[in-house]
Amino acid sequence: MDVDQVAADLKSPRHLQLFKETKAPEDLPGLGRHYCIECAKWFETDHSLVLHKKGKPHKRRLKDLREGPYTHEEAAAAVSYRIDNGPSQKAKSQDVEMV
């Protein structure tokens, strides 16, 4: 799942509950009892969930969630898409007179 979807799950318990209801417990690892909300992953046992929460991938995800999801403006800036159509700032060429 993307960071923005996980952030929505953290903000709204109802959103998370609706997601969990779409999954059949018998099809999930550990019958759907061990779930990491931040990483959107299911685990077989409580022990594997605890080990996961101590690991680097989980800690990286927590850091990403603290920073927040990207906005449309940040995404546009990442691909060098300009929203502003203001006057261009071209450098004016100066004519040099040669003697």
Side-chain angles (χ1 to χ4, degrees), residues 2-3 10-11 16-18 22 26 30 33-34 38 41 43-44 52 58 64 73 75 78-79 81 87-89 94 98:
D2 291 331
V3 175
L10 290 171
K11 287 180 184 176
L16 178 61
Q17 188 63 30
L18 289 173
T22 62
E26 57 272 1
R33 283 185 244 137
H34 313 287
E38 294 86 2
K41 289 185 179 182
F43 294 92
E44 282 289 326
H52 161 75
H58 180 78
D64 291 342
E73 291 80 20
V79 294
Y81 178 76
S88 64
Q89 301 292 334
Q94 296 179 359
M98 299 191 65

Side-chain angles (χ1 to χ4, degrees), residues 70-81:
Y70 291 113
T71 63
H72 290 288
E73 291 80 20
E74 290 172 328
V79 294
S80 300
Y81 178 76

Side-chain angles (χ1 to χ4, degrees), residues 82 84-92:
R82 285 188 49 149
D84 177 19
N85 289 333
S88 64
Q89 301 292 334
K90 293 182 181 177
K92 294 181 180 178

